[in-house]
Amino acid sequence: QAFLCVTSTLSVAVFRDHLVLEDLVEEMKKQSPGLDFGPLQPDGRIAVQGSFPALRKLREFLLLKAKSLSEEDKREGKSHQRLRRKMQEHRGATEMRNSTGDTHRETQVVVLDTDIYHYMKSFHPKILQAADVVISGVTDGDITTVCIDSAGSTGAAQGLRAKRMIEVFSVELQRILRKERICFKEPSRAEKQKYKQLCGRLKPRHPEVLLLPYDTHIDVVGTSACVFGFTEDLKR
């Protein structure tokens, strides 16, 4: 499986107090004509499928719209909205520690495929590290939103530099990585334990693959040659 098509379930319910959701979906379709949209569910969720770059652009479009609405709420003197709460939780402690000393903070956002984010974090952690910035990720299914928080002019420059590095490196990983899904024959505890033990014995022979275990399967992520070698050993 190549990283050419992504299916993601988006929740637009947070826009309900500001926009007619059906109108928002129509705007999303015009914004991203290359994506396939499922029906809008009563709870505000909608399935979207297409290329990862197109889905990333749609996510960035929604994040900008969310930011714009949040700023409108602040100007009107409303209480802090739930719209960006999930993204803010992971960096709340950092903001509290620095709120008295920093007069200006900036957040850069990069949307990545979750498997690519995990591979980058496991094998190239320095890409997700930079001086004068705090880099962290919020995972929502197939998509991980990477937030790059910085303060002051020096930090802002470092944040932009870190964002560009992550974007460039993620494109390269998207080009070379492949994923193979190994489904359990029986979703039992014994079956999971068997595969876990097998993978544990094989992993030292294939150090360049990333294993992502789930309840019903294991995803193997790496280059074509590495993934093929691991899965063939596992079959044997």
Side-chain angles (χ1 to χ4, degrees):
Q1 178 182 351
F3 292 93
L4 300 178
C5 185
V6 177
T7 300
S8 182
T9 300
L10 305 179
S11 176
V12 295
V14 289
F15 293 97
R16 198 186 301 274
D17 293 339
H18 302 273
L19 304 168
V20 177
L21 295 188
E22 288 78 6
D23 293 342
L24 175 61
V25 171
E26 290 302 315
E27 187 177 356
M28 290 162 58
K29 290 179 179 178
K30 292 179 181 178
Q31 176 75 19
S32 305
L35 294 175
D36 293 325
F37 291 81
L40 179 64
Q41 302 299 318
D43 63 356
R45 293 181 178 273
I46 184 170
V48 185
Q49 185 179 62
S51 69
F52 184 74
L55 190 58
R56 178 165 55 186
K57 288 182 179 179
L58 176 62
R59 279 298 184 100
E60 291 174 351
F61 163 75
L62 291 175
L63 285 170
L64 287 174
K65 185 173 285 291
K67 182 179 179 181
S68 175
L69 293 173
S70 180
E71 289 175 350
E72 287 180 9
D73 287 341
K74 290 179 181 179
R75 285 196 296 268
E76 294 170 3
K78 292 184 179 180
S79 61
H80 193 67
Q81 297 296 306
R82 293 174 297 172
L83 192 60
R84 300 175 65 198
R85 182 176 297 168
K86 187 173 182 180
M87 285 179 56
Q88 290 175 338
E89 284 177 353
H90 74 285
R91 69 175 200 268
T94 301
E95 290 182 347
M96 288 178 65
R97 289 195 299 268
N98 293 282
S99 61
T100 58
D102 294 334
T103 58
H104 179 67
R105 299 189 64 82
E106 287 191 9
T107 299
Q108 304 292 335
V109 174
V110 182
V111 182
L112 301 178
D113 177 279
T114 294
D115 293 327
I116 288 178
Y117 170 74
H118 285 313
Y119 190 92
M120 188 184 299
K121 189 175 180 180
S122 297
F123 293 99
H124 306 279
K126 290 185 178 180
I127 298 296
L128 297 172
Q129 300 170 5
D132 300 323
V133 299
V134 177
I135 302 177
S136 52
V138 178
T139 297
D140 182 12
D142 293 334
I143 299 295
T144 293
T145 302
V146 178
C147 297
I148 307 163
D149 296 324
S150 60
S153 58
T154 302
Q158 292 281 24
L160 285 172
R161 188 176 297 109
K163 178 183 179 182
R164 286 195 292 268
M165 288 184 62
I166 293 171
E167 288 175 336
V168 170
F169 200 70
S170 68
V171 170
E172 177 63 17
L173 289 180
Q174 185 176 339
R175 185 181 67 84
I176 65 174
L177 293 182
R178 298 293 184 268
K179 177 171 71 174
E180 181 79 16
R181 177 160 293 178
I182 302 170
C183 296
F184 300 144
K185 296 178 181 179
E186 299 176 3
S188 64
R189 184 175 182 179
E191 182 79 1
K192 296 176 188 177
Q193 186 65 21
K194 181 184 75 173
Y195 272 97
K196 183 178 180 181
Q197 292 175 348
L198 284 173
C199 289
R201 290 201 297 267
L202 291 175
K203 185 65 171 69
R205 303 183 198 172
H206 305 273
E208 295 182 359
V209 299
L210 174 65
L211 302 180
L212 299 173
Y214 296 94
D215 288 338
T216 58
H217 63 274
I218 296 174
D219 284 339
V220 184
V221 181
T223 63
S224 296
C226 291
V227 169
F228 178 79
F230 180 86
T231 54
E232 285 299 301
D233 276 359
L234 186 63
K235 289 175 184 177
R236 286 195 290 268

